[in-house]
Amino acid sequence: MSILIAENLTKVYGRKGARLVALDQVSFEAKSGETTLIMGPSGSGKTTLLLLLGTLLCPTAGRVLLDGRSLSDLKVGDLSSARLQTIGFVFQHFNLLASLTAIQNVMVPRLAAGLGKKEAERQAAVMLDRFGLAKRQHALPADLSGGEQQRVAIARALMNSPTLLLADEPTANLDSRTGHEIVQTLSRTAKEEGKIVIIVSHDPRIQDIADRVISLEDGKIKERDGRKL
């Protein structure tokens, strides 16, 4: 079983009088097979936390451990490799490349990992079929619905079989029904494939899908699984 540990994560911007504490000694654990939902209003620090977990930001203090390995202590080159091999990202605005078809977008992580184009295309086709997009694989992002674009983004995030899947507001640009389906897809992926899934959202309608809910306010954890700290 894989375990993600956030250990006293702190992020401070600026210096002296202009200091802004975006995250203040946040600690929690997440396990494979589970979906953790991090909630909070705008400015609560939840996106900063997600970026720290994904090694896209360096903490001012504290560290992120994945299976006992400190990601926060890795050198720049090793960080890039760790992201490619162990972390998948799903973004609010999908972040699909507009000039590439669905299958070409999904191929990108496998090509970056050094896989040949033919095999990457085969694997991408299998992944898209799994998400019900076999007939849409040659469509450009502009020709896909919001739900289809988000499913392509999830397929892309899973292509290198990451241990950790991070989703930043994955329902924000979707209607309630489609958004609920997307979160169910993420939760099902956690359970069926043993992934650690972390979702950042301010949407209370998806709380029932998560195995664990953590609420942030002013950079600190205020509630964990509905219990006041």
Side-chain angles (χ1 to χ4, degrees), residues 212-215 221-229:
R212 179 178 293 105
V213 180
I214 296 173
S215 295
I221 294 180
K222 293 299 181 182
E223 290 185 341
R224 195 191 308 266
D225 296 333
R227 298 189 298 273
K228 293 284 185 181
L229 296 182

Side-chain angles (χ1 to χ4, degrees), residues 31-137:
K31 299 177 182 179
S32 57
E34 295 182 345
T35 298
T36 299
L37 175 61
I38 298 172
M39 303 195 69
S42 178
S44 63
K46 58 186 187 297
T47 296
T48 297
L49 175 56
L50 196 77
L51 293 175
L52 290 172
L53 296 176
T55 72
L56 295 174
L57 276 181
C58 293
T60 304
R63 58 181 181 165
V64 177
L65 298 101
L66 183 59
D67 291 336
R69 179 192 190 193
S70 177
L71 300 181
S72 305
D73 296 331
L74 295 178
K75 296 179 180 179
V76 175
D78 294 330
L79 274 176
S80 297
S81 178
R83 287 191 208 106
L84 182 62
Q85 296 173 7
T86 64
I87 304 173
F89 295 91
V90 179
F91 301 97
Q92 175 180 345
H93 299 289
F94 317 133
N95 283 19
L96 300 178
L97 298 173
S99 62
L100 300 184
T101 63
I103 193 168
Q104 289 170 336
N105 268 282
V106 175
M107 288 169 60
V108 168
R110 299 303 287 138
L111 295 174
L115 194 66
K117 182 178 179 181
K118 186 174 181 180
E119 180 59 18
E121 185 173 15
R122 186 194 69 78
Q123 292 183 14
V126 170
M127 185 68 77
L128 285 171
D129 181 53
R130 172 184 160 192
F131 286 100
L133 293 167
K135 295 182 179 179
R136 305 291 281 153
Q137 60 181 295

